[in-house]
Amino acid sequence: MITQIVAVTGGLGLALTGLGLVLMWLLRRRSIGLMLVVVAVVTVTATVAGVVVITLEMIIPGHARDVALTVSYIAGLVGMGVAMAVARQVFAASRRLVAAVEAVAPSHDYVPPSGPLPAELQIISDALRQAYERLREGHERERALEGARRELVAWVSHDLRTPLAGMRAMAEALEDGVAADDATVRRYHTRIRLEVDRLSHMVDDLFELSRIHAGALRLSPRRIGVGDLVADTLAGAEALAGAKGVRLVGEAGPVPPVNADAAELGRALRNLVVNAIRHTPADGTVVVRAVADHQAVRLSVADCCGGIPEDDLPRVFDVAFRGETARTPGPDRGAGLGLAIARGIVEAHQGAITVVNEGAGCRFEIALPLSEPPG
Ligand SMILES: Nc1ncnc2c1ncn2[C@@H]1O[C@H](COP(=O)(O)OP(=O)(O)O)[C@@H](O)[C@H]1O
Ligand SMILES: [Mg+2]
């Protein structure tokens, strides 16, 4: 008797399960709600069919059979009803999620739908919120970069136009013979050459900066002696310091070698030293010092500039930033790229560059990671 019941219900169950699986496969791209309904229909049909077959096959007294059939019909209806309700709920929740996504304005945050969501949809909603947040951050970074780029182009075109106009006027004067006396001709030639030098420096700096920004700075790091680097930089700046009457002092203690690109790091240090000399009055002193502690090798350049205004301190490394005095036209006016380049080079070496006001002026410091951990 029992074996017969098991065989009949088991066989029916298996057949319906097979049918259900085929249906599920056919519906695999359709709504979860529809799948739930299929699951309910299959379960209910299996139960009702089992009961019907068994009550008809077996000799069960009429009353008991009616009770069994009624109970299974009602259970089936309840099951279907619940499945439909769940399906509606899932469908409504997913509509709310889609509506929330569609409501996201460009470069705004995603606002999750109000009210609770089923766990899986909640996970998707959380993932969406994070994705939108990252997207917005990316947008903001891009906008800031774009702003800086536009500002740079504006500065540079201004900076190129002014000297070009001057050179054009001088060249025309030479060409037309307006400037004819020897002294004027010599003076114009010298000024034209100085302007050309300055402009080629500027173009060179722009090129370096664009390589830094594009992440295309190719470093060839080697173990280099910091003392040599300081000595070379000082030697290169000697003429400028002499012309301004600024004393240049180098102090390199026993410092371990660093892993760095000598040419690039030299360029960064030179930018600091040239700035220091420019901003130090005659008779002032610029001190370039190399020291090492447990974390880093530190190269510092201290000057007698009288201090950088507190408001300017966080901005001196920005592209195209120039302090008040540096903005007034003059022969040794820079384009505001030197410190941005220095920072790019130092950061490409995994180092950090900082500035503080100290004593009679300010002190810039390049900190480079030790090439070997202290042991
Ligand atoms: N050693 C310094 N002392 C005082 N101010 C400095 C010094 N170095 C840089 N600055 C300030 O930072 C600004 C940016 O420097 P930099 O990027 O080298 O551009 P530039 O030298 O072309 O003006 C300068 O215009 C100046 O205002
Ligand atoms: Mg400079």
Side-chain angles (χ1 to χ4, degrees):
M1 180 75 171
I2 285 293
T3 40
Q4 210 177 345
I5 291 176
V6 170
V8 170
T9 48
L12 257 173
L14 275 181
L16 280 166
T17 306
L19 187 70
L21 286 178
V22 170
L23 264 174
M24 283 300 200
W25 186 80
L26 289 175
L27 295 176
R28 66 195 181 285
R29 288 187 205 292
R30 308 296 293 272
S31 134
I32 297 177
L34 191 58
M35 293 188 199
L36 277 174
V37 171
V38 170
V39 171
V41 169
V42 169
T43 319
V44 168
T45 318
T47 317
V48 173
V51 172
V52 169
V53 169
I54 285 165
T55 47
L56 291 180
E57 285 283 311
M58 318 284 143
I59 313 102
I60 291 180
H63 178 64
R65 189 172 64 199
D66 289 348
V67 169
L69 279 175
T70 313
V71 166
S72 64
Y73 286 145
I74 290 174
L77 282 177
V78 169
M80 293 273 282
V82 170
M84 300 281 249
V86 171
R88 269 178 67 103
Q89 216 177 355
V90 170
F91 185 70
S94 68
R95 283 297 322 157
R96 279 194 294 140
L97 191 58
V98 171
V101 172
E102 282 171 353
V104 179
S107 68
H108 272 69
D109 274 342
Y110 159 82
V111 183
S114 54
L117 288 174
E120 285 79 5
L121 293 185
Q122 187 62 51
I123 292 173
I124 295 179
S125 176
D126 290 346
L128 276 171
R129 189 171 43 75
Q130 286 168 8
Y132 271 106
E133 240 171 63
R134 278 198 299 273
L135 208 64
R136 185 177 47 77
E137 282 163 13
H139 269 310
E140 272 164 18
R141 247 195 324 273
E142 216 164 275
R143 244 207 316 263
L145 261 180
E146 184 53 38
R149 217 179 338 248
R150 219 176 311 201
E151 200 170 315
L152 177 63
V153 170
W155 271 114
V156 166
S157 35
H158 174 263
D159 274 27
L160 289 175
R161 211 173 289 136
T162 319
L164 281 175
M167 285 198 289
R168 186 197 185 104
M170 286 186 277
E172 276 173 1
L174 290 171
E175 194 177 31
D176 301 345
V178 176
D181 62 298
D182 278 357
T184 311
V185 169
R186 238 195 333 273
R187 192 159 50 84
Y188 278 16
H189 279 149
T190 311
R191 275 183 53 194
I192 290 175
R193 191 188 50 75
L194 286 175
E195 287 292 1
V196 168
D197 282 354
R198 201 166 71 80
L199 288 181
S200 29
H201 269 135
M202 207 155 97
V203 171
D204 198 41
D205 278 355
L206 275 175
F207 188 59
E208 175 86 355
L209 198 65
S210 79
R211 276 193 309 184
I212 289 172
H213 281 174
L217 193 63
R218 292 269 161 272
L219 295 180
S220 326
R222 283 182 301 115
R223 281 164 68 85
I224 56 169
V226 176
D228 292 346
L229 189 79
V230 170
D232 288 351
T233 310
L234 290 182
E238 206 61 68
L240 181 66
K244 263 210 82 174
V246 168
R247 225 163 336 120
L248 258 185
V249 181
E251 296 173 0
V255 173
V258 291
N259 226 346
D261 184 308
E264 295 293 345
L265 191 58
R267 179 177 195 147
L269 187 61
R270 188 166 57 247
N271 285 354
L272 297 188
V273 173
V274 168
N275 277 350
I277 296 171
R278 269 199 202 143
H279 292 95
T280 295
D283 277 342
T285 309
V286 168
V287 181
V288 183
R289 183 175 289 135
V291 293
D293 55 31
H294 286 300
Q295 285 117 40
V297 169
R298 297 176 196 280
L299 288 164
S300 64
V301 181
D303 63 17
C304 299
C305 68
I308 296 176
E310 286 296 324
D311 288 349
D312 287 355
L313 274 180
R315 292 155 61 205
V316 291
F317 296 104
D318 288 355
V319 170
F321 173 80
R322 293 184 280 197
E324 264 322 312
T325 49
R327 253 176 254 157
T328 40
D332 61 352
R333 192 172 49 118
L337 305 179
L339 289 179
I341 289 175
R343 179 173 65 178
I345 292 173
V346 170
E347 286 177 356
H349 282 89
Q350 272 74 52
I353 189 166
T354 49
V355 58
V356 286
N357 280 327
E358 200 180 87
C362 60
R363 186 166 61 84
F364 283 84
E365 181 183 281
I366 297 176
L368 293 169
L370 297 174
S371 60
E372 286 150 17

